[in-house]
Amino acid sequence: AASGENPAFAGHTPADGAPAGILTIPSIGLSQVIVQGTSAADLQNGPGLMPKGAVPGSRGDAVVAGRRGTYGSPFRDLASLRAGAVVRVVDYLGRFDYRVTSVRVLGSGSVAIRPTAQPLLTLLTSRSSLPPSGLVEVNAVLTGKPLPTAIASPPTSTSELALGGDTSRWWQLLIWFVLLV
C-alpha cells in the first residue's frame, strides 16, 4: 500500500521517535520495532531509521542504526549475519524483503548514506559494546520491486549521526566510571 492509502500516516513519515515499522531477521531471532530517527534518545526505544536516507521499500539507501550492548541490545548479533539472510521490514508503505549481500567491519567515523537508485537497506551497529569502536555494517538489497519513486525521510540533526550518541551525557558516564573505580 502506498503511504497515501494508509490513513494512519496520511502520506507523512512518523514523528521523530515514533514507531516507523517492524524489522524482522529470522536467522538471528530478531523482531523489533523501528523508530523514526537515530538520536541517542530515539535509539533507547529501538533501532532507528536514519533521516535523509530512503524509506524501506523505495529506491535509495534506507539506513537503520541500533544499539549493540545497551537498551535491550537489539543489534548484538548483527555481525553474525551471512550473505543470503532474509531481512524483512514492514512499515507504513508495505512489506519488503531484503537479502543480505555483505557484512563489513568499518573503522570509527561517521557513515555517509550512499546515493543510489537501487533499493538498499543498511543496518549499522557498533563493533564492540564498551567502549564503542568502529561499526558493523550489513548491506542488503530488496528482493521484490521497489516503490515507483524514491521517498526520503526528514532531515537529520547532528544528534542523529549513526550511533553518535548524546554528547551532553558524557559527564554522567564519567561520574559512573569514577564511582566504579
Side-chain angles (χ1 to χ4, degrees):
S3 61
E5 297 171 7
N6 188 332
F9 292 98
H12 301 286
T13 58
D16 193 45
I22 298 173
L23 175 71
T24 305
I25 308 174
S27 63
I28 60 172
L30 177 74
S31 183
Q32 184 79 41
V33 171
I34 301 171
V35 298
Q36 182 68 37
T38 55
S39 70
D42 295 334
L43 295 183
Q44 290 177 17
N45 297 320
L49 183 61
M50 189 177 292
K52 285 194 180 177
V55 172
S58 68
R59 296 181 190 277
D61 191 10
V63 180
V64 177
R67 299 290 184 186
R68 178 185 175 118
T70 57
Y71 300 107
S73 307
F75 279 6
R76 78 177 150 268
D77 297 325
L78 209 60
S80 68
L81 284 173
R82 299 288 173 248
V86 174
V87 178
R88 175 170 293 140
V89 177
V90 178
D91 64 13
Y92 57 95
L93 298 175
R95 173 184 152 175
F96 306 99
D97 288 341
Y98 291 83
R99 290 261 179 221
V100 172
T101 56
S102 67
V103 178
R104 303 181 317 152
V105 176
L106 307 172
S108 297
S110 63
V111 174
I113 296 172
R114 295 174 292 214
T116 180
Q118 297 296 314
L120 304 177
L121 178 67
T122 301
L123 306 175
L124 296 171
T125 194
S126 60
R127 186 173 76 189
S128 62
S129 299
L130 292 172
S133 64
L135 294 172
V136 172
E137 177 187 76
V138 174
N139 299 297
V141 64
L142 185 67
T143 60
K145 285 186 151 192
L147 297 171
T149 58
I151 300 169
S153 295
T156 307
S157 70
T158 56
S159 67
E160 293 186 296
L161 299 176
L163 304 171
D166 184 352
T167 56
S168 68
R169 302 293 182 176
W170 280 105
W171 65 271
Q172 290 175 338
L173 181 62
L174 181 60
I175 290 171
W176 277 108
F177 179 73
V178 169
L179 291 173
L180 182 63
V181 171

